[in-house]
Amino acid sequence: MLHRSTAWVGATAREIARAVRRGDTSATAVVADHLDSIRAYDRIIGAFREVRSGAAIAEAEIVDDQPDLANLALAGVPVAVKENVAVTGLPMWNGSAAARRPVADADHEVVRRLRGAGAVVVGVTRMPELGLWATTDDAETVTRNPWRTDRTPGGSSGGSAAAVAAGLVPIAHGNDGLGSIRIPAACCGIVGLKPGRGAVPAGLGVNDWYGLAENGILATTVADAHLGYAVLSGRTPAALTEPRGLRIAVSLRSPVTGVFADAAAKKGVSDVVRLVLAHGHGALKADPQYPPALAARALSTWFAAAAAAAAELDRAALQPRTRRHITLGQQALRQGLVRDADRAAWRERCRNWFEAGRYDVLVTPALAAAPPPADRWSARSWSANMLVNTRYAPYAAPWNFAGFPGLVIPVGVRADGLPAAVQLVGPPGSELLLLALAGQIEQAAPWRRHAPGWPRMAAQRK
């Protein structure tokens, strides 16, 4: 007999899908339990912009009636979707009321793929205005980190990361233009995958942030991240091949001059090096050669992306920090500072670096420092936002500019009680290799899947 059990709150996506396919529980019961948990606890962290309570239950009932239920990779799995992609029947808020787009009459392709695999969208998650920042808040809500609610969950996929880290959903959609999946994953102690260019349909805004932005997945385990990536990329989920004898480059060098990894970030990298050496891989210090012009080109593209995203919006209604970004973007475009040739040259330089060194994977810190305070950064000056963003999260952006895949995984806990994390980067097409290496690390040194004390509704399975 099917029963409703809050034990499924906090379970992995794979566990839930397997149970629903076997008839051990129903999609309807699983989704109802997760909605109860969201109603009870999202008031603490503010991860969701809107929760689709009635619609999600109705969709779960449809999943339960599917004749091919046994073939659905995400059967009955509750998922959250970042608020800047289309979900039928909802507007796209894009981080604030001023940036909101009309109600969507069709799903974005990644949402269609999630639903096609049997997942149920329980709500859309919060992000900073236009996805521009590595903190998540607006005039209405400050989204908080479940590990420490006085800290940000990062951005721009901050709501999705907070929801996963708190166990409110097992996996969530996010997207990443200059680190917006990997930074929140690092802040919240979960797994975050930014696929390489073209691996997953993008369709983000006017021009995918000039090719920098990709849709990806946030999860608590490598297996769930792999499953989510398979669905988003249109692949049939299959077992990962265990990697052997990899040549791993290790770098602490920051892409931003004057910004350095703190002691916790360095320890996270050294811990991972020890683990990969124990698996028989080789590791050696090797710094990517970040050219002096790279930061300026990446900044110009970031600014220009804001200008493109705001082209049809009431600029006067946007936050002051966003308006400043837009002005700088318009100037960069007028001066010809945003060029496809620059991105292509950096991509080729990175490819050559991996090939010349025969590196399979690059390991770097995920963050340079602890996540900043959870605060109304949206009301602060542009310069204050720029300073905090670049000081704590400099490592992700170069790999968007190159279009290479990047993966963040947890590596223990910092002295301040926040999670530590590292970033794994590989050349084009290496998503499965990165996941496989991460799986070895997870097996050797399992991490806490949820923030301490979460999910509070989880109970012993009946």
Side-chain angles (χ1 to χ4, degrees), residues 379-390:
R380 295 196 184 186
S381 69
W382 176 85
S383 59
N385 278 273
M386 290 294 294
L387 187 62
V388 74
N389 277 247
T390 54

Side-chain angles (χ1 to χ4, degrees), residues 167-370:
L168 303 184
V169 287
I171 59 173
H173 157 268
N175 37 55
D176 188 316
L178 288 172
S180 290
I181 288 174
R182 290 159 292 155
I183 294 168
C187 290
C188 293
I190 59 175
V191 181
L193 173 65
K194 180 199 82 72
R197 189 168 301 159
V200 170
L204 296 165
V206 177
N207 53 22
D208 301 334
W209 275 35
Y210 296 92
L212 272 60
E214 307 291 345
N215 286 303
I217 205 79
L218 296 121
T220 63
T221 67
V222 172
D224 274 5
H226 176 213
L227 178 59
Y229 170 65
V231 169
L232 293 185
S233 62
R235 299 167 180 263
T236 300
L240 293 167
T241 301
E242 184 172 2
R244 298 182 183 278
L246 297 181
R247 184 176 170 89
I248 299 174
V250 181
S251 177
L252 297 175
R253 182 183 176 188
S254 169
V256 178
T257 302
V259 176
F260 304 96
D262 68 8
K266 293 176 182 177
K267 182 179 184 301
V269 171
S270 65
D271 287 347
V272 164
V273 169
R274 175 177 50 81
L275 292 170
V276 299
L277 289 174
H279 274 88
H281 304 301
L284 65 161
K285 184 180 183 300
D287 293 327
Q289 299 305 304
Y290 303 114
L294 177 65
R297 297 305 187 196
L299 286 172
S300 295
T301 308
W302 184 20
F303 302 153
E312 298 177 4
L313 300 176
D314 177 6
R315 181 172 165 182
L318 297 171
Q319 298 159 5
R321 61 178 182 171
T322 303
R323 296 200 299 270
R324 175 64 173 157
H325 235 59
I326 292 167
T327 297
L328 292 170
Q330 291 170 332
Q331 293 172 358
L333 289 167
R334 284 196 300 269
Q335 295 170 18
L337 300 179
V338 183
R339 298 192 295 258
D340 290 341
D342 291 331
R343 296 187 291 280
W346 172 241
R347 181 179 178 87
E348 188 63 18
R349 182 169 184 159
C350 292
R351 190 194 302 271
N352 291 339
W353 183 81
F354 272 92
E355 290 179 355
R358 293 183 290 111
Y359 308 128
D360 298 295
V361 176
L362 167 67
V363 175
T364 78
L367 304 175

Side-chain angles (χ1 to χ4, degrees), residues 65-247:
D65 291 338
Q66 289 295 309
D68 64 341
L69 181 64
N71 298 318
L72 298 179
L74 292 174
V77 175
V79 301
V81 172
K82 189 176 177 180
E83 63 175 341
N84 65 341
V85 302
V87 175
T88 302
L90 295 179
M92 290 192 296
W93 279 268
N94 287 304
S96 75
R100 192 172 76 168
R101 300 285 183 173
V103 170
D105 57 10
D107 286 337
H108 186 287
E109 177 61 18
V110 294
V111 178
R112 188 191 70 79
R113 291 184 182 190
L114 288 168
R115 283 179 160 154
V120 178
V121 178
V122 295
V124 293
T125 54
R126 294 181 179 273
M127 57 183 272
E129 191 168 72
L130 299 183
L132 295 173
W133 311 100
T135 53
T136 299
D137 69 275
D138 59 18
E140 174 186 303
T141 298
V142 175
T143 302
R144 299 180 180 278
N145 192 323
W147 282 76
R148 274 183 50 181
T149 55
D150 65 332
R151 295 288 177 157
T152 183
S156 65
S157 304
S160 286
V164 172
L168 303 184
V169 287
I171 59 173
H173 157 268
N175 37 55
D176 188 316
L178 288 172
S180 290
I181 288 174
R182 290 159 292 155
I183 294 168
C187 290
C188 293
I190 59 175
V191 181
L193 173 65
K194 180 199 82 72
R197 189 168 301 159
V200 170
L204 296 165
V206 177
N207 53 22
D208 301 334
W209 275 35
Y210 296 92
L212 272 60
E214 307 291 345
N215 286 303
I217 205 79
L218 296 121
T220 63
T221 67
V222 172
D224 274 5
H226 176 213
L227 178 59
Y229 170 65
V231 169
L232 293 185
S233 62
R235 299 167 180 263
T236 300
L240 293 167
T241 301
E242 184 172 2
R244 298 182 183 278
L246 297 181
R247 184 176 170 89

Side-chain angles (χ1 to χ4, degrees), residues 5 18 30 67 105 112 131 174 294 450:
S5 169
R18 185 184 305 116
V30 170
D105 57 10
R112 188 191 70 79
L294 177 65
H450 298 104

Side-chain angles (χ1 to χ4, degrees), residues 368-438:
D375 204 350
R376 295 201 180 275
W377 291 98
S378 56
R380 295 196 184 186
S381 69
W382 176 85
S383 59
N385 278 273
M386 290 294 294
L387 187 62
V388 74
N389 277 247
T390 54
R391 280 187 171 176
Y392 101 93
Y395 287 97
W399 309 109
N400 295 86
F401 212 70
F404 283 21
L407 176 69
V408 158
I409 57 171
V411 287
V413 181
R414 298 166 51 96
D416 55 15
L418 290 160
V422 299
Q423 176 180 231
L424 311 180
V425 178
S430 62
E431 289 87 354
L432 297 181
L433 175 63
L434 297 179
L435 287 163
L437 177 60

